[in-house]
mmCIF file of all heavy atoms in Angstrom:
data_model
loop_
_atom_site.group_PDB
_atom_site.id
_atom_site.type_symbol
_atom_site.label_atom_id
_atom_site.label_comp_id
_atom_site.label_asym_id
_atom_site.label_seq_id
_atom_site.Cartn_x
_atom_site.Cartn_y
_atom_site.Cartn_z
ATOM 1 N N PHE A 24 28.039 19.972 -49.061
ATOM 2 C CA PHE A 24 26.931 19.830 -48.120
ATOM 3 C C PHE A 24 26.806 21.070 -47.261
ATOM 4 O O PHE A 24 27.827 21.707 -46.921
ATOM 5 C CB PHE A 24 27.123 18.634 -47.186
ATOM 6 C CG PHE A 24 27.023 17.293 -47.842
ATOM 7 C CD1 PHE A 24 26.981 17.140 -49.205
ATOM 8 C CD2 PHE A 24 26.960 16.150 -47.040
ATOM 9 C CE1 PHE A 24 26.876 15.866 -49.811
ATOM 10 C CE2 PHE A 24 26.873 14.898 -47.614
ATOM 11 C CZ PHE A 24 26.821 14.749 -48.991
ATOM 12 N N THR A 25 25.587 21.413 -46.886
ATOM 13 C CA THR A 25 25.339 22.542 -45.989
ATOM 14 C C THR A 25 24.350 22.108 -44.932
ATOM 15 O O THR A 25 23.255 21.636 -45.255
ATOM 16 C CB THR A 25 24.796 23.751 -46.745
ATOM 17 O OG1 THR A 25 25.724 24.137 -47.792
ATOM 18 C CG2 THR A 25 24.606 24.928 -45.785
ATOM 19 N N ILE A 26 24.716 22.272 -43.674
ATOM 20 C CA ILE A 26 23.794 22.016 -42.583
ATOM 21 C C ILE A 26 23.203 23.348 -42.117
ATOM 22 O O ILE A 26 23.887 24.365 -42.079
ATOM 23 C CB ILE A 26 24.508 21.280 -41.421
ATOM 24 C CG1 ILE A 26 23.493 20.826 -40.369
ATOM 25 C CG2 ILE A 26 25.604 22.139 -40.797
ATOM 26 C CD1 ILE A 26 24.089 19.903 -39.313
ATOM 27 N N SER A 27 21.932 23.340 -41.827
ATOM 28 C CA SER A 27 21.246 24.545 -41.404
ATOM 29 C C SER A 27 20.127 24.202 -40.448
ATOM 30 O O SER A 27 19.760 23.025 -40.303
ATOM 31 C CB SER A 27 20.724 25.328 -42.603
ATOM 32 O OG SER A 27 19.764 24.560 -43.323
ATOM 33 N N ARG A 28 19.571 25.214 -39.814
ATOM 34 C CA ARG A 28 18.488 25.027 -38.857
ATOM 35 C C ARG A 28 17.355 25.972 -39.151
ATOM 36 O O ARG A 28 17.550 27.077 -39.650
ATOM 37 C CB ARG A 28 18.961 25.287 -37.409
ATOM 38 C CG ARG A 28 20.105 24.465 -36.922
ATOM 39 C CD ARG A 28 20.372 24.748 -35.466
ATOM 40 N NE ARG A 28 20.461 26.166 -35.195
ATOM 41 C CZ ARG A 28 20.605 26.687 -33.998
ATOM 42 N NH1 ARG A 28 20.656 25.887 -32.923
ATOM 43 N NH2 ARG A 28 20.680 28.005 -33.829
ATOM 44 N N ASP A 29 16.169 25.525 -38.816
ATOM 45 C CA ASP A 29 14.998 26.380 -38.804
ATOM 46 C C ASP A 29 14.429 26.250 -37.398
ATOM 47 O O ASP A 29 13.729 25.296 -37.089
ATOM 48 C CB ASP A 29 13.985 25.966 -39.870
ATOM 49 C CG ASP A 29 12.779 26.920 -39.948
ATOM 50 O OD1 ASP A 29 12.485 27.602 -38.954
ATOM 51 O OD2 ASP A 29 12.146 26.967 -41.014
ATOM 52 N N ASN A 30 14.766 27.205 -36.541
ATOM 53 C CA ASN A 30 14.376 27.085 -35.154
ATOM 54 C C ASN A 30 12.862 27.117 -34.964
ATOM 55 O O ASN A 30 12.326 26.491 -34.047
ATOM 56 C CB ASN A 30 15.030 28.209 -34.350
ATOM 57 C CG ASN A 30 16.517 28.048 -34.228
ATOM 58 O OD1 ASN A 30 17.052 26.942 -34.318
ATOM 59 N ND2 ASN A 30 17.229 29.145 -33.992
ATOM 60 N N ALA A 31 12.172 27.860 -35.806
ATOM 61 C CA ALA A 31 10.732 27.943 -35.700
ATOM 62 C C ALA A 31 10.080 26.588 -35.924
ATOM 63 O O ALA A 31 8.994 26.315 -35.376
ATOM 64 C CB ALA A 31 10.170 28.962 -36.671
ATOM 65 N N LYS A 32 10.702 25.754 -36.720
ATOM 66 C CA LYS A 32 10.175 24.427 -37.031
ATOM 67 C C LYS A 32 10.877 23.309 -36.264
ATOM 68 O O LYS A 32 10.553 22.148 -36.456
ATOM 69 C CB LYS A 32 10.271 24.154 -38.515
ATOM 70 C CG LYS A 32 9.457 25.103 -39.383
ATOM 71 C CD LYS A 32 9.592 24.732 -40.858
ATOM 72 C CE LYS A 32 8.777 25.672 -41.726
ATOM 73 N NZ LYS A 32 8.910 25.355 -43.167
ATOM 74 N N ASN A 33 11.853 23.680 -35.427
ATOM 75 C CA ASN A 33 12.637 22.686 -34.685
ATOM 76 C C ASN A 33 13.208 21.626 -35.629
ATOM 77 O O ASN A 33 13.137 20.422 -35.357
ATOM 78 C CB ASN A 33 11.811 22.029 -33.588
ATOM 79 C CG ASN A 33 11.444 23.015 -32.493
ATOM 80 O OD1 ASN A 33 12.233 23.880 -32.116
ATOM 81 N ND2 ASN A 33 10.238 22.866 -31.938
ATOM 82 N N THR A 34 13.761 22.105 -36.726
ATOM 83 C CA THR A 34 14.213 21.199 -37.770
ATOM 84 C C THR A 34 15.623 21.578 -38.204
ATOM 85 O O THR A 34 15.951 22.773 -38.322
ATOM 86 C CB THR A 34 13.270 21.282 -38.980
ATOM 87 O OG1 THR A 34 11.954 20.868 -38.573
ATOM 88 C CG2 THR A 34 13.723 20.360 -40.105
ATOM 89 N N VAL A 35 16.428 20.577 -38.437
ATOM 90 C CA VAL A 35 17.746 20.750 -39.005
ATOM 91 C C VAL A 35 17.749 20.127 -40.393
ATOM 92 O O VAL A 35 17.101 19.088 -40.610
ATOM 93 C CB VAL A 35 18.831 20.183 -38.103
ATOM 94 C CG1 VAL A 35 18.717 18.675 -37.964
ATOM 95 C CG2 VAL A 35 20.215 20.556 -38.610
ATOM 96 N N TYR A 36 18.481 20.739 -41.309
ATOM 97 C CA TYR A 36 18.526 20.274 -42.676
ATOM 98 C C TYR A 36 19.954 19.943 -43.083
ATOM 99 O O TYR A 36 20.930 20.475 -42.534
ATOM 100 C CB TYR A 36 17.990 21.344 -43.629
ATOM 101 C CG TYR A 36 16.605 21.806 -43.315
ATOM 102 C CD1 TYR A 36 16.376 22.946 -42.564
ATOM 103 C CD2 TYR A 36 15.512 21.106 -43.796
ATOM 104 C CE1 TYR A 36 15.079 23.358 -42.267
ATOM 105 C CE2 TYR A 36 14.229 21.531 -43.529
ATOM 106 C CZ TYR A 36 14.010 22.654 -42.760
ATOM 107 O OH TYR A 36 12.723 23.060 -42.498
ATOM 108 N N LEU A 37 20.065 19.087 -44.039
ATOM 109 C CA LEU A 37 21.341 18.832 -44.681
ATOM 110 C C LEU A 37 21.111 18.915 -46.188
ATOM 111 O O LEU A 37 20.502 18.007 -46.783
ATOM 112 C CB LEU A 37 21.902 17.474 -44.308
ATOM 113 C CG LEU A 37 23.313 17.182 -44.848
ATOM 114 C CD1 LEU A 37 24.328 18.086 -44.191
ATOM 115 C CD2 LEU A 37 23.678 15.709 -44.644
ATOM 116 N N GLN A 38 21.560 20.009 -46.782
ATOM 117 C CA GLN A 38 21.484 20.179 -48.220
ATOM 118 C C GLN A 38 22.711 19.505 -48.812
ATOM 119 O O GLN A 38 23.848 19.880 -48.506
ATOM 120 C CB GLN A 38 21.450 21.648 -48.605
ATOM 121 C CG GLN A 38 21.426 21.906 -50.102
ATOM 122 C CD GLN A 38 20.155 21.430 -50.734
ATOM 123 O OE1 GLN A 38 19.066 21.684 -50.233
ATOM 124 N NE2 GLN A 38 20.276 20.719 -51.867
ATOM 125 N N MET A 39 22.495 18.541 -49.682
ATOM 126 C CA MET A 39 23.580 17.765 -50.278
ATOM 127 C C MET A 39 23.582 18.020 -51.768
ATOM 128 O O MET A 39 22.625 17.664 -52.463
ATOM 129 C CB MET A 39 23.390 16.288 -49.962
ATOM 130 C CG MET A 39 23.272 15.965 -48.473
ATOM 131 S SD MET A 39 23.196 14.184 -48.146
ATOM 132 C CE MET A 39 21.631 13.775 -48.947
ATOM 133 N N ASN A 40 24.647 18.598 -52.245
ATOM 134 C CA ASN A 40 24.817 18.888 -53.651
ATOM 135 C C ASN A 40 26.012 18.116 -54.197
ATOM 136 O O ASN A 40 26.859 17.630 -53.449
ATOM 137 C CB ASN A 40 25.022 20.391 -53.880
ATOM 138 C CG ASN A 40 23.880 21.220 -53.442
ATOM 139 O OD1 ASN A 40 22.714 20.821 -53.544
ATOM 140 N ND2 ASN A 40 24.169 22.409 -52.938
ATOM 141 N N SER A 41 26.062 18.026 -55.509
ATOM 142 C CA SER A 41 27.169 17.333 -56.192
ATOM 143 C C SER A 41 27.399 15.963 -55.580
ATOM 144 O O SER A 41 28.526 15.565 -55.282
ATOM 145 C CB SER A 41 28.441 18.183 -56.121
ATOM 146 O OG SER A 41 28.238 19.439 -56.725
ATOM 147 N N LEU A 42 26.350 15.213 -55.437
ATOM 148 C CA LEU A 42 26.426 13.933 -54.748
ATOM 149 C C LEU A 42 27.252 12.932 -55.541
ATOM 150 O O LEU A 42 27.226 12.914 -56.779
ATOM 151 C CB LEU A 42 25.038 13.381 -54.481
ATOM 152 C CG LEU A 42 24.305 14.045 -53.315
ATOM 153 C CD1 LEU A 42 22.816 13.774 -53.395
ATOM 154 C CD2 LEU A 42 24.882 13.530 -52.007
ATOM 155 N N LYS A 43 27.972 12.113 -54.808
ATOM 156 C CA LYS A 43 28.843 11.091 -55.359
ATOM 157 C C LYS A 43 28.373 9.711 -54.887
ATOM 158 O O LYS A 43 27.718 9.604 -53.846
ATOM 159 C CB LYS A 43 30.283 11.313 -54.890
ATOM 160 C CG LYS A 43 30.843 12.684 -55.183
ATOM 161 C CD LYS A 43 32.229 12.840 -54.534
ATOM 162 C CE LYS A 43 32.787 14.227 -54.774
ATOM 163 N NZ LYS A 43 34.127 14.363 -54.136
ATOM 164 N N PRO A 44 28.702 8.683 -55.632
ATOM 165 C CA PRO A 44 28.347 7.333 -55.163
ATOM 166 C C PRO A 44 28.877 7.042 -53.760
ATOM 167 O O PRO A 44 28.201 6.318 -53.010
ATOM 168 C CB PRO A 44 29.006 6.420 -56.196
ATOM 169 C CG PRO A 44 28.993 7.224 -57.447
ATOM 170 C CD PRO A 44 29.261 8.637 -56.987
ATOM 171 N N ASP A 45 30.003 7.593 -53.383
ATOM 172 C CA ASP A 45 30.545 7.362 -52.048
ATOM 173 C C ASP A 45 29.721 8.011 -50.955
ATOM 174 O O ASP A 45 29.933 7.729 -49.775
ATOM 175 C CB ASP A 45 31.984 7.869 -51.952
ATOM 176 C CG ASP A 45 32.985 6.969 -52.646
ATOM 177 O OD1 ASP A 45 32.609 5.832 -53.014
ATOM 178 O OD2 ASP A 45 34.139 7.382 -52.825
ATOM 179 N N ASP A 46 28.798 8.881 -51.333
ATOM 180 C CA ASP A 46 27.881 9.463 -50.356
ATOM 181 C C ASP A 46 26.752 8.512 -49.983
ATOM 182 O O ASP A 46 25.980 8.804 -49.062
ATOM 183 C CB ASP A 46 27.284 10.764 -50.879
ATOM 184 C CG ASP A 46 28.334 11.847 -51.084
ATOM 185 O OD1 ASP A 46 29.228 11.968 -50.245
ATOM 186 O OD2 ASP A 46 28.227 12.567 -52.108
ATOM 187 N N THR A 47 26.636 7.411 -50.691
ATOM 188 C CA THR A 47 25.586 6.449 -50.398
ATOM 189 C C THR A 47 25.726 5.907 -48.981
ATOM 190 O O THR A 47 26.778 5.391 -48.604
ATOM 191 C CB THR A 47 25.620 5.294 -51.403
ATOM 192 O OG1 THR A 47 25.337 5.819 -52.717
ATOM 193 C CG2 THR A 47 24.602 4.238 -51.050
ATOM 194 N N ALA A 48 24.671 6.052 -48.204
ATOM 195 C CA ALA A 48 24.705 5.635 -46.815
ATOM 196 C C ALA A 48 23.331 5.859 -46.202
ATOM 197 O O ALA A 48 22.473 6.516 -46.800
ATOM 198 C CB ALA A 48 25.747 6.442 -46.031
ATOM 199 N N VAL A 49 23.161 5.332 -45.000
ATOM 200 C CA VAL A 49 22.044 5.733 -44.180
ATOM 201 C C VAL A 49 22.492 6.966 -43.397
ATOM 202 O O VAL A 49 23.528 6.937 -42.742
ATOM 203 C CB VAL A 49 21.593 4.614 -43.235
ATOM 204 C CG1 VAL A 49 20.447 5.099 -42.324
ATOM 205 C CG2 VAL A 49 21.151 3.386 -44.024
ATOM 206 N N TYR A 50 21.725 8.001 -43.487
ATOM 207 C CA TYR A 50 22.036 9.256 -42.814
ATOM 208 C C TYR A 50 21.201 9.370 -41.566
ATOM 209 O O TYR A 50 19.968 9.224 -41.608
ATOM 210 C CB TYR A 50 21.806 10.445 -43.744
ATOM 211 C CG TYR A 50 22.871 10.616 -44.787
ATOM 212 C CD1 TYR A 50 22.976 9.707 -45.829
ATOM 213 C CD2 TYR A 50 23.794 11.642 -44.699
ATOM 214 C CE1 TYR A 50 23.980 9.811 -46.769
ATOM 215 C CE2 TYR A 50 24.802 11.770 -45.633
ATOM 216 C CZ TYR A 50 24.894 10.860 -46.678
ATOM 217 O OH TYR A 50 25.895 10.994 -47.600
ATOM 218 N N TYR A 51 21.856 9.653 -40.463
ATOM 219 C CA TYR A 51 21.226 9.719 -39.155
ATOM 220 C C TYR A 51 21.339 11.112 -38.570
ATOM 221 O O TYR A 51 22.411 11.721 -38.580
ATOM 222 C CB TYR A 51 21.872 8.764 -38.180
ATOM 223 C CG TYR A 51 21.741 7.315 -38.531
ATOM 224 C CD1 TYR A 51 22.741 6.662 -39.269
ATOM 225 C CD2 TYR A 51 20.641 6.570 -38.147
ATOM 226 C CE1 TYR A 51 22.634 5.321 -39.588
ATOM 227 C CE2 TYR A 51 20.516 5.242 -38.481
ATOM 228 C CZ TYR A 51 21.517 4.627 -39.188
ATOM 229 O OH TYR A 51 21.411 3.296 -39.520
ATOM 230 N N CYS A 52 20.249 11.598 -38.037
ATOM 231 C CA CYS A 52 20.247 12.819 -37.296
ATOM 232 C C CYS A 52 20.618 12.518 -35.843
ATOM 233 O O CYS A 52 20.211 11.481 -35.293
ATOM 234 C CB CYS A 52 18.880 13.472 -37.361
ATOM 235 S SG CYS A 52 18.754 15.094 -36.601
ATOM 236 N N ASN A 53 21.392 13.377 -35.251
ATOM 237 C CA ASN A 53 21.824 13.202 -33.872
ATOM 238 C C ASN A 53 21.724 14.515 -33.121
ATOM 239 O O ASN A 53 21.973 15.573 -33.690
ATOM 240 C CB ASN A 53 23.271 12.690 -33.866
ATOM 241 C CG ASN A 53 23.879 12.654 -32.477
ATOM 242 O OD1 ASN A 53 24.790 13.420 -32.159
ATOM 243 N ND2 ASN A 53 23.377 11.763 -31.637
ATOM 244 N N ALA A 54 21.372 14.411 -31.853
ATOM 245 C CA ALA A 54 21.303 15.596 -31.009
ATOM 246 C C ALA A 54 21.963 15.292 -29.681
ATOM 247 O O ALA A 54 21.814 14.191 -29.143
ATOM 248 C CB ALA A 54 19.874 16.034 -30.794
ATOM 249 N N GLY A 55 22.688 16.249 -29.156
ATOM 250 C CA GLY A 55 23.332 16.063 -27.881
ATOM 251 C C GLY A 55 24.011 17.314 -27.403
ATOM 252 O O GLY A 55 23.737 18.410 -27.893
ATOM 253 N N ILE A 56 24.887 17.123 -26.459
ATOM 254 C CA ILE A 56 25.638 18.242 -25.884
ATOM 255 C C ILE A 56 27.081 18.113 -26.356
ATOM 256 O O ILE A 56 27.769 17.148 -26.007
ATOM 257 C CB ILE A 56 25.560 18.232 -24.343
ATOM 258 C CG1 ILE A 56 24.108 18.321 -23.884
ATOM 259 C CG2 ILE A 56 26.378 19.382 -23.776
ATOM 260 C CD1 ILE A 56 23.924 18.117 -22.397
ATOM 261 N N LEU A 57 27.509 19.053 -27.131
ATOM 262 C CA LEU A 57 28.842 19.059 -27.699
ATOM 263 C C LEU A 57 29.587 20.288 -27.230
ATOM 264 O O LEU A 57 29.090 21.410 -27.353
ATOM 265 C CB LEU A 57 28.774 19.043 -29.225
ATOM 266 C CG LEU A 57 30.106 19.057 -29.966
ATOM 267 C CD1 LEU A 57 30.856 17.744 -29.750
ATOM 268 C CD2 LEU A 57 29.867 19.307 -31.449
ATOM 269 N N TYR A 58 30.772 20.050 -26.700
ATOM 270 C CA TYR A 58 31.694 21.128 -26.371
ATOM 271 C C TYR A 58 33.009 20.824 -27.079
ATOM 272 O O TYR A 58 33.659 19.820 -26.762
ATOM 273 C CB TYR A 58 31.904 21.257 -24.872
ATOM 274 C CG TYR A 58 30.656 21.661 -24.123
ATOM 275 C CD1 TYR A 58 29.971 20.765 -23.301
ATOM 276 C CD2 TYR A 58 30.153 22.944 -24.242
ATOM 277 C CE1 TYR A 58 28.847 21.145 -22.614
ATOM 278 C CE2 TYR A 58 29.017 23.326 -23.577
ATOM 279 C CZ TYR A 58 28.351 22.420 -22.751
ATOM 280 O OH TYR A 58 27.218 22.816 -22.081
ATOM 281 N N GLY A 59 33.369 21.692 -27.974
ATOM 282 C CA GLY A 59 34.552 21.436 -28.775
ATOM 283 C C GLY A 59 34.345 20.242 -29.652
ATOM 284 O O GLY A 59 33.474 20.251 -30.556
#
């Protein structure tokens, strides 16, 4: 998986390759203040 941003579009992406059945889930985007 690769996470990336496009600041011009205010969008974050998650590129998911080589997917496995265990990757099955609801995927949620989250935003907040993270330190460490």
Side-chain angles (χ1 to χ4, degrees):
F24 291 11
T25 302
I26 188 170
S27 62
R28 303 185 309 175
D29 185 336
N30 291 335
K32 297 181 179 179
N33 294 322
T34 299
V35 64
Y36 303 95
L37 185 68
Q38 178 67 46
M39 305 185 295
N40 299 325
S41 301
L42 283 162
K43 305 174 181 179
D45 285 348
D46 295 319
T47 296
V49 177
Y50 284 71
Y51 297 93
C52 186
N53 172 248
I56 301 171
L57 179 68
Y58 295 110

